[in-house]
Amino acid sequence: MEPGSPLRERLIDVGVELVTTEGSGALGLREIARRAGVSHGAPRRYFPTHRALLSTIARRGFADLGARFTAGGTGGRAPREQVRALATAYVGYALEHRGMFELMFRHDLLDSTGEPGDGPRLRESTVPLFALLVSLVARCGARDPEVSAAALWANLHGVAQLWATGSLPLVLDGGQEAGVERLVAAALDAHLGPEPA
């Protein structure tokens, strides 16, 4: 399957650009091939299924999100501040990259198990990010860190979705940054308890 071939990378690049500008609904194999300047059958040479190509595109999104988590700096801060940094990066990424964010969590469209020889499985891109959140939530003293982290993640995902569609700005005063910061703080309080004084 020539994992490092220039055409394979171009197909992925085109898919990333397409999902970024037009959303996940625009990610048809024919459209990706057309924009890459190849025949509509060419993607099948590198990706045995449409799901395999979409999963490879989504992996780029998870790599970008992981880089934001790293850049947000978790080292040297108290665990709760690290969770706040990750939560803010997560919601910020969702609002800045709506199409990619939508694709990354559409496991009904993606292949999380991967195809043999198709590089790392999507699961291997996503689980470490959740494991990082679980470890930080545990260090914050949660009794059931995995469930608390999952509930916090669901809360943050909902914040991102509702903000992006205009529901939360409709009911909250303040600009995006102030509103998102308030919501992240409230989510942390709800799932980790009030911040110690």
Side-chain angles (χ1 to χ4, degrees):
M1 263 193 247
E2 303 174 51
S5 87
L7 177 54
R8 182 182 189 278
E9 292 305 309
R10 186 170 64 197
L11 291 166
I12 298 167
D13 292 342
V14 165
V16 168
E17 177 65 25
L18 196 55
V19 76
T20 301
T21 59
E22 298 182 31
S24 62
L27 288 173
L29 279 175
R30 286 181 183 265
E31 183 60 15
I32 291 172
R34 186 186 72 74
R35 291 191 185 204
V38 297
S39 73
H40 69 271
R44 297 271 187 217
R45 179 174 174 202
Y46 302 97
F47 304 98
T49 65
H50 187 210
R51 290 169 64 110
L53 176 54
L54 295 181
S55 297
T56 303
I57 293 166
R59 235 187 328 275
R60 290 254 184 108
F62 279 109
D64 188 25
L65 181 58
R68 283 176 180 239
F69 282 4
T70 301
T74 55
R77 295 189 201 175
R80 188 181 182 100
E81 285 306 309
Q82 293 179 48
V83 173
R84 183 185 311 278
L86 293 183
T88 302
Y90 183 83
V91 174
Y93 182 85
L95 297 177
E96 292 171 31
H97 302 282
R98 286 179 64 185
M100 180 62 84
F101 185 77
E102 177 186 315
L103 175 65
M104 289 163 58
F105 296 100
R106 289 290 311 270
H107 288 279
D108 57 325
L109 299 177
L110 304 174
D111 179 5
S112 62
T113 61
E115 296 290 329
D118 192 33
R121 295 176 177 161
L122 185 60
R123 177 176 171 78
E124 293 162 2
S125 300
T126 60
V127 171
L129 298 180
F130 181 67
L132 173 61
L133 181 60
V134 171
S135 71
L136 290 172
V137 166
R139 290 177 49 209
C140 290
R143 280 186 281 173
D144 189 344
E146 191 168 72
V147 170
S148 294
L152 175 59
W153 174 28
N155 193 163
L156 296 169
H157 199 85
V159 166
Q161 294 289 77
L162 290 171
W163 195 280
T165 59
S167 297
L168 287 174
L170 181 67
V171 297
L172 291 177
D173 293 329
Q176 176 177 319
E177 189 173 319
V180 168
E181 285 179 15
R182 287 170 50 206
L183 290 165
V184 166
L188 267 59
D189 286 349
H191 299 288
L192 302 178
E195 191 162 10

